[in-house]
Structure formats: structure tokens, C-alpha cells
């Protein structure tokens, strides 16, 4: 088992360690995310001040939703993996094809390393700032709160793992489009707004009109933010939480399957220019 | 059973074509015209284990494309490729575990990682057993004199240093077949010599089968017993290196320095290629006039200070060969 996984673990950890070196990027990202987190919380506060009864979740939960979202922002599938784009442009893809590895798994491991390494330092800093410093400063009302209970904490662990796996599967689809089209701008331009709206990153999905909500809950991007975060503060609990986890898992499997199929097709018609 | 077998290999691309200018661009939006490009057509050859074969040909001839089929990166439009019993592009994963590849124009090491970390990562990727890996790595580090470079990130290496590291990277998993696509491109003279000596040693002492493509005729001269010439996607010649030279161009060159002013030479079968005040360069075919006879006849009639015979530089042989087959870059 370990022998089979060895190349993928190595590819993952090499990328993870390399990306972790970018301290300035992490600090800059953290600063930006604090700023936007503050603004989003002020908007929520204004909304709750005007019409708290209309809100589907409490203000405290909304605040936690914002901080959690800011902390894990880099874990969302905003862009295709730049390393893949570069490999496609420089012909490094040829060398990727020379490794005795499952091609999809090899890229998946590297992309996962990239995303986790970008997210980890930002998440830790955000937890310190919004989860510890704010309460100590007497601003509990505006702080990132712990999970609503033991059940919520236990359910959040798989929800977080599935959120990460699902996000990586989405980035893999983008990577494959980059490999097919030799250009990452198009796919990035489409992906970013989709993620902002449909993941619940902008607004929890149960703030949208009730008629849309069943559909919004079923679509794949819900598993990236809305489902795991609502599990965190107990808004999705019991059977609803388990069903949502199944939804995340199902979409992850479906997108991985789609990605594998598409990658096989793209690699079959791969052409290497020059020479 | 040959180790590498290529039969009637062909690759055809469809490329979109359009007339130049705005009108052409607009027309292309509505209706696209396609043209078929034959990157390779009907290429067949075979290679025994332990052989060293050089592929030469002008730019765009299909050399690298052939290497990409053999290594499993691309799949041909038709024809058959078998390497050590496997079809590379059908059985890619099993196939690539047994071959090593160096592309002179690309890097397989990680730009930001120290050389040694890159080697470690490749050992993991190829699942090389740790003790075996250390032994193999130390052997390659010694052969390629990599010791002082191991801690440096790849991006800080010179091209020559990087190429040595690339060779080690391609061989850590101990492949029995090595594909080299223009391995000496851009290297300075000492680095080229080092690469050639290393490839020769791998082939002779370790029995590694080597197939290399190159534009550097000195590579061919130094390394290959057998040469395949390829032009416009077709195989033009497959023969021993010496036969290629004598078949295309038997011509020899005679350089003479005279004690006095260079005389006029008028002999049948001999042409004057260039003259200086006191020296001449003559071209002749030894079949028409044997070399000793020509030298003797000149030396008896004129006061000669120095004399030496050259073969036609291999670059010229090849250029002549491409001309004969109308195979220059399209």
C-alpha cells in the first residue's frame, strides 16, 4: 500500500514544502482576507440591524461563516494550477507522461499540495487573529467561534476533507481544460465567478430565494463552502448533515471520474510542437 | 528479436489554414480549410539491445517525433512500435519504468529544488528501493562529477552542469534503454565531450541501448556506429556511419603549403578549392587518382613545406545528402 502511494505522497509533499516557502504571499493574503472579512461582517451587521428576523442563521453564525471562509479562501478552486499551465506551455507535460504513474493521480497529488500549502498558513493566522485575538480584545461578538458542539466538530472533519478533495477535483478539471486549450485565462475567467456565487463564498446559500434553494444545495459547488461551514456551526445536523456529506462525496467521485475520462481523451490527442 | 521495432510508422496532423489578412481571418471564422501534414510517413527500422543509433536530419524532419512515439508520449496515426515487447503508448506506465529520456531543450528536474532533492523525488516516483537508489545515485554522481552541485537549486546551474544532472536524473531507475533528444544542444566544447564520453561509457560498459537525435555531426562521428537519416518525415538512409560518408561523398581534401608562391595545378580529377599566396586546397576523388600518387606527383614538381589530407567535414556530407534527397527544411 505504502509502496503504491509513495510517488504520489512524494509529489504532494514536494509541492507542499515548496509552496510553504512563500511567506510574503501568505502574509499579504492574510492581510487582504482580514480586510475583506471585516467589510463582509459590517455588511452582515447592517443587514441584521435592519431585518434580523428575515435571516436564516444567527448573526454570530454569519460572523463565524465569514471568518471560516476567509481562513480557507485559498482552498477554493479559483484557478487552474499554474504549474500545470507552465508545464503545458514549456512542454514539461512530456516529462510528466514519462513517469510510471497514473497521470491523473500524479497531477491531483501536486495540485492538492499546492492548495493546502497556500491555505495552511493563512488559516492558522486567521484562526489566531479572529478566533483568539478578537475574544481577548473583548470583541467576542465579532469573533470566529468554535464548532457548535462535539457532534458538529466530528462531522466537520470529514466535511473539511471532502471540501478539499472536491475543490482539488474542480481544479483538476480546470487543469485539463488548460492542457487541452493550451491557455489558462479562459477557464480561470469562467471558474472564479462560478465559485464566488455557487459555493456560498459570497453569501450562505440559504440567503438566496427559497425556490432556488433545493437546486443550490444539490449543485457541486455547495460542497465547497456552504455545506461544510453550515455543518461547523450546527445549521446542518443529524440526517441533513449526513446527506450533505454524501452529496459532497458523490460530487467528488463524479468530478474525479469526469476528470479521469477527460484527461485520458486530452492526453490521447496531445501534440507536442516543435522538433 | 530486436529490442526496438518500428514498422510503417506514420503521423499525420490536420492544421487549419487560412489566407493572410483580415479577409482571410474572417473567412476562416466561417469555413475552415484543413491541410494534412505528414510529420512522419512509413518509417521502419529495428534496433538490437546494446546498439547505439544516431538519428540525424534537418529541423522538422521528424526525429523528435519518432522519439516521442518510442517513449510513449505520443501515439502514431498508424504503424507499429514495440520496445522490449511493449507498445509504448498502449502500455505507457510499464514501458516508461524501463526507459530513460533526456530532452536537451527541456528540464526534468525541479527548477526550485536542489539537485539532490530532485533525485530523491525521482527515486520516489520510480519507486526505487532506497538502498539500491543510494548506490546508483552515488555511482552516477561520481561518473558525472556532480558532487559539488548537489546542494544547489537547479535554476542556478549552468547549462553544462544542468545537462550532467539531467543525465543522472534519467538514469536513477537504471533503465536499459536511453533516448536522447539533442542532448548536446547549446553546450560548450568541454561539456559536449563530457556528455559523449559518458554516453559511450553507458553503452559500452553497461550495455545500455542508446538512441539519440542530434544536429551535431561530431556527436555522430564520436558515438554512433549506425546512422539513420530522416528528412521530411521519411527515412532516407539507415547504414553504418562510414558507409554513409563514402556513399554520399568520396571526395578528399589535400592541403599543401609551398616553400614559394603557390603554383597552378592542372591535373585531371583535381580541382582547386581555394588558394592563398603560398598554399592550396585541392579536392579529389581517390577512386580517380589515388592519394599517394597525387601527393607524389605534386611533391616531385614543387617545393612543398607541409601537406595533409582531410576528409570532407561531416556537416558538408550531410548537407550534400539532404540536397540529393531534396530533404532540406520545408
Amino acid at each position: 500500500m505504502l509502496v503504491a502511494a509513495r510517488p504520489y505522497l512524494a509529489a504532494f509533499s514536494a509541492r507542499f514544502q515548496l509552496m510553504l516557502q512563500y511567506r510574503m504571499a501568505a502574509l499579504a493574503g492574510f492581510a487582504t482576507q482580514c480586510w475583506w472579512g471585516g467589510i463582509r461582517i459590517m455588511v452582515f451587521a447592517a443587514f441584521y440591524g435592519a431585518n434580523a428576523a428575515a435571516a436564516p442563521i444567527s448573526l454570530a453564525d454569519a460572523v463565524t461563516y465569514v471568518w471560516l471562509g476567509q481562513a480557507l479562501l485559498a482552498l477554493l478552486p479559483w484557478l487552474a494550477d499554474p504549474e500545470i499551465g507552465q508545464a503545458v506551455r514549456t512542454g514539461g507535460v512530456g516529462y510528466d507522461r514519462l513517469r510510471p504513474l497514473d497521470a491523473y493521480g500524479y497531477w491531483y497529488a501536486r495540485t492538492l499540495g499546492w492548495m493546502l500549502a497556500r491555505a495552511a498558513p493563512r488559516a492558522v493566522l486567521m484562526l489566531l487573529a479572529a478566533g483568539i485575538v478578537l475574544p481577548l480584545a473583548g470583541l467576542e461578538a465579532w469573533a470566529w467561534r468554535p464548532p457548535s458542539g462535539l457532534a458538529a466538530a466530528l462531522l466537520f472533519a470529514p466535511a473539511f476533507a471532502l471540501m478539499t478533495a472536491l475543490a482539488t477535483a474542480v481544479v483538476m478539471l480546470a487543469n485539463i481544460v488548460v492542457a487541452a486549450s493550451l491557455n489558462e485565462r479562459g477557464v480561470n475567467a469562467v471558474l472564479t465567478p462560478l465559485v464566488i456565487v455557487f459555493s456560498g463564498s459570497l453569501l450562505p446559500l440559504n440567503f438566496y430565494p427559497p425556490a432556488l434553494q433545493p437546486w443550490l444545495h444539490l449543485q457541486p459547488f455547495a460542497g465547497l463552502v456552504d455545506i461544510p461551514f453550515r455543518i461547523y456551526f450546527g445549521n446542518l445536523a443529524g440526517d441533513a448533515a449526513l446527506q450533505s456529506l454524501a452529496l459532497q462525496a458523490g460530487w467528488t467521485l463524479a468530478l474525479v471520474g469526469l476528470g479521469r475520462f477527460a484527461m485520458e481523451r486530452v492526453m490521447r490527442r496531445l501534440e507536442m510542437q516543435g522538433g | 528479436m530486436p529490442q526496438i521495432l518500428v514498422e510503417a510508422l506514420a503521423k499525420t496532423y490536420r492544421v487549419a489554414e487560412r489566407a493572410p489578412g483580415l479577409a482571410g481571418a474572417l473567412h476562416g471564422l466561417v469555413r475552415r480549410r484543413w491541410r494534412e501534414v505528414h510529420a512522419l510517413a512509413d518509417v521502419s527500422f529495428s534496433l538490437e539491445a546494446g546498439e547505439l543509433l544516431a538519428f540525424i536530419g534537418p529541423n522538422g524532419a521528424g526525429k523528435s517525433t519518432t522519439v516521442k512515439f518510442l517513449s510513449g508520449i505520443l501515439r502514431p496515426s498508424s504503424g507499429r512500435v514495440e520496445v522490449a515487447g511493449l507498445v509504448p503508448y498502449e502500455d505507457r506506465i510499464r514501458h516508461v519504468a524501463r526507459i530513460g529520456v533526456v530532452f536537451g531543450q527541456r528540464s526534468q528536474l525541479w527548477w526550485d529544488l536542489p539537485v539532490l532533492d530532485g533525485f530523491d523525488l525521482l527515486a520516489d516516483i520510480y519507486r526505487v528501493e532506497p538502498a539500491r537508489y543510494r548506490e546508483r545515485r552515488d555511482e552516477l554522481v561520481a561518473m558525472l562529477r556532480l558532487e559539488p552541485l548537489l546542494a544547489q537549486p537547479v535554476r542556478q546551474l549552468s547549462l553544462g552542469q544542468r545537462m550532467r544532472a539531467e543525465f543522472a536524473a534519467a538514469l536513477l531507475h537504471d533503465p536499459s534503454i536511453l533516448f536522447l533528444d539533442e542532448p548536446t544542444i547549446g553546450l560548450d566544447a568541454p561539456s559536449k565531450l563530457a556528455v559523449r564520453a559518458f554516453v559511450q561509457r553507458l553503452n559500452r560498459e553497461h550495455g545500455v541501448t542508446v538512441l539519440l537525435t542530434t544536429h551535431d555531426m561530431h556527436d555522430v562521428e564520436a558515438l554512433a556506429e549506425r546512422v539513420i537519416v530522416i528528412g521530411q518525415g521519411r527515412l532516407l538512409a539507415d547504414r553504418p556511419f562510414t558507409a554513409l560518408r563514402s556513399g554520399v561523398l568520396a571526395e578528399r581534401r589535400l592541403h599543401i603549403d609551398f616553400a614559394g608562391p603557390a603554383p597552378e595545378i592542372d591535373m585531371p580529377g583535381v580541382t582547386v578549392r581555394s588558394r592563398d599566396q603560398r598554399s592550396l586546397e585541392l579536392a579529389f576523388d581517390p577512386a580517380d587518382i589515388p592519394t599517394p600518387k597525387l601527393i607524389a606527383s605534386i611533391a616531385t614538381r614543387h617545393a612543398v613545406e607541409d601537406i595533409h589530407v582531410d576528409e570532407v567535414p561531416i556537416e558538408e556530407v550531410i548537407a550534400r545528402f539532404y540536397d540529393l534527397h531534396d530533404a532540406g527544411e520545408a
Side-chain angles (χ1 to χ4, degrees):
Chain A
M1 174 56 210
L2 207 59
V3 175
R6 180 177 159 201
Y8 306 98
L9 289 173
F12 167 81
S13 65
R15 190 76 191 285
F16 186 82
Q17 287 168 28
L18 202 61
M19 285 306 298
L20 222 44
Q21 294 172 9
Y22 296 102
R23 284 172 298 189
M24 284 317 291
L27 281 176
F30 166 68
T32 314
Q33 277 136 39
C34 284
W35 172 256
W36 280 109
I39 290 180
R40 289 179 60 198
I41 285 172
M42 286 194 276
V43 172
F44 269 119
F47 170 76
Y48 277 84
N51 190 358
I57 57 175
S58 72
L59 177 60
D61 287 347
V63 169
T64 294
Y65 191 99
V66 167
W67 288 129
L68 201 50
Q70 296 305 103
L72 299 178
L73 200 71
L75 209 52
L76 295 189
W78 300 112
L79 305 167
D81 184 344
E83 188 180 79
I84 302 293
Q86 201 191 354
V88 168
R89 274 192 305 276
T90 60
V93 177
Y95 271 125
D96 286 352
R97 297 294 289 165
L98 290 172
R99 306 303 175 212
L101 300 179
D102 173 67
Y104 184 91
Y106 185 37
W107 280 13
Y108 191 99
R110 286 155 60 184
T111 293
L112 180 64
W114 170 63
M115 292 173 68
L116 279 175
R118 285 193 339 132
R122 292 165 168 83
V124 169
L125 289 171
M126 192 60 80
L127 185 60
L128 288 175
I132 295 173
V133 175
L134 282 185
L136 288 179
L139 296 166
E140 290 95 346
W142 309 106
W144 174 354
R145 299 182 182 210
S148 67
L150 184 63
L154 287 177
L155 284 169
F156 181 69
F160 173 76
L162 284 168
M163 156 190 180
T164 309
L166 179 60
T168 309
V170 174
V171 175
M172 277 301 291
L173 286 176
N175 292 343
I176 293 159
V177 173
V178 171
S181 63
L182 311 178
N183 187 322
E184 54 220 90
R185 288 170 110 173
V187 67
N188 289 347
V190 173
L191 197 54
T192 302
L194 283 180
V195 170
I196 289 180
V197 175
F198 290 105
S199 68
S201 169
L202 183 68
L203 209 58
L205 294 180
N206 49 11
F207 276 74
Y208 287 83
L212 291 178
Q213 284 191 22
W215 305 109
L216 286 172
H217 189 66
L218 285 177
Q219 49 85 31
F221 292 100
L224 296 172
V225 171
D226 190 71
I227 289 175
F229 292 9
R230 282 165 62 200
I231 286 177
Y232 181 92
F233 53 74
N235 187 260
L236 282 173
D239 283 351
L242 291 177
Q243 278 163 14
S244 298
L245 286 177
L247 207 56
Q248 277 184 304
W251 275 120
T252 304
L253 287 177
L255 296 190
V256 167
L258 179 64
R260 298 188 68 91
F261 173 76
M263 186 151 179
E264 185 62 32
R265 294 286 300 266
V266 170
M267 288 301 151
R268 265 173 182 267
R269 57 176 205 94
L270 185 75
E271 289 175 11
M272 279 178 74
Q273 322 288 333
Chain B
M1 180 70 189
Q3 193 174 30
I4 297 179
L5 191 70
V6 174
E7 271 178 16
L9 191 64
K11 179 74 178 179
T12 309
Y13 294 106
R14 250 167 33 117
V15 292
E17 243 186 8
R18 55 161 239 236
L22 182 62
L26 290 175
H27 186 79
L29 285 178
V30 185
R31 177 178 294 164
R32 214 162 262 204
R33 272 187 314 166
W34 298 90
R35 186 169 60 97
E36 296 218 318
V37 176
H38 300 280
L40 274 186
D42 199 24
V43 169
S44 302
F45 65 92
S46 66
L47 195 63
E48 297 294 332
E51 267 197 273
L52 200 162
L53 170 71
F55 250 72
I56 59 176
N59 287 324
K63 304 183 298 292
S64 301
T65 308
T66 308
V67 170
K68 282 161 198 157
F69 294 137
L70 289 170
S71 53
I73 296 175
L74 298 184
R75 55 177 58 228
S77 309
S78 64
R80 203 164 78 101
V81 179
E82 242 180 64
V83 179
L86 295 178
V87 177
Y89 38 86
E90 301 291 354
D91 223 336
R92 184 183 67 84
I93 293 180
R94 276 212 297 159
H95 167 70
V96 296
R98 319 201 284 211
I99 62 165
V101 183
V102 176
F103 291 115
Q105 314 222 52
R106 307 201 156 98
S107 179
Q108 63 181 314
L109 288 161
W110 286 262
W111 207 238
D112 300 308
L113 288 184
V115 174
L116 189 59
D117 288 15
F119 290 172
D120 288 350
L121 189 45
L122 282 168
D124 286 330
I125 284 175
Y126 284 89
R127 302 184 173 100
V128 184
E129 197 261 314
R132 179 83 198 95
Y133 162 58
R134 280 191 294 276
E135 192 184 312
R136 180 75 180 159
R137 180 194 63 199
D138 294 346
E139 185 189 6
L140 288 165
V141 165
M143 274 171 94
L144 290 159
R145 294 176 292 110
L146 291 172
E147 191 63 50
L149 311 178
L150 289 176
Q152 287 188 41
V154 173
R155 59 165 185 272
Q156 291 177 1
L157 302 183
S158 73
L159 183 61
Q161 292 171 332
R162 206 195 80 209
M163 224 44 223
R164 274 157 41 210
E166 295 279 343
F167 268 87
L171 291 161
L172 286 169
H173 57 294
D174 208 357
S176 57
I177 304 172
L178 185 61
F179 297 116
L180 307 172
D181 192 12
E182 303 191 17
T184 56
I185 195 160
L187 297 184
D188 64 10
S191 301
K192 280 185 179 179
L193 289 176
V195 163
R196 283 177 204 139
F198 178 72
V199 171
Q200 201 153 39
R201 204 171 149 195
L202 272 180
N203 178 249
R204 301 231 170 115
E205 290 175 24
H206 300 252
V208 175
T209 311
V210 180
L211 189 151
L212 85 142
T213 77
T214 185
H215 287 293
D216 189 321
M217 293 308 151
H218 298 290
D219 287 351
V220 180
E221 219 161 4
L223 288 174
E225 289 121 39
R226 188 175 149 207
V227 178
I228 283 183
V229 187
I230 184 164
Q232 298 196 351
R234 292 180 181 281
L235 198 149
L236 303 177
D238 178 356
R239 52 184 87 146
F241 177 68
T242 45
L244 180 71
R245 182 196 283 278
S246 59
V248 179
L249 213 56
E251 187 182 289
R252 300 275 168 85
R253 304 274 162 85
L254 187 66
H255 302 264
I256 316 155
D257 293 332
F258 296 95
E264 295 298 325
I265 300 280
D266 186 17
M267 293 167 74
V270 179
T271 50
V272 177
R273 276 181 52 88
S274 67
R275 67 164 56 242
D276 237 329
Q277 239 176 352
R278 293 172 55 165
S279 65
L280 280 180
E281 191 193 4
L282 307 177
F284 67 101
D285 184 340
D288 297 338
I289 175 162
T291 316
K293 199 175 150 203
L294 177 62
I295 295 176
S297 81
I298 292 173
T300 48
R301 270 181 253 167
H302 308 283
V304 171
E305 260 187 359
D306 191 13
I307 198 160
H308 68 273
V309 185
D310 266 346
E311 291 187 313
V312 177
I314 182 72
E315 282 84 356
E316 256 179 69
V317 175
I318 295 304
R320 190 80 63 94
F321 192 89
Y322 295 162
D323 279 349
L324 281 176
H325 289 83
D326 197 19
E329 190 174 8

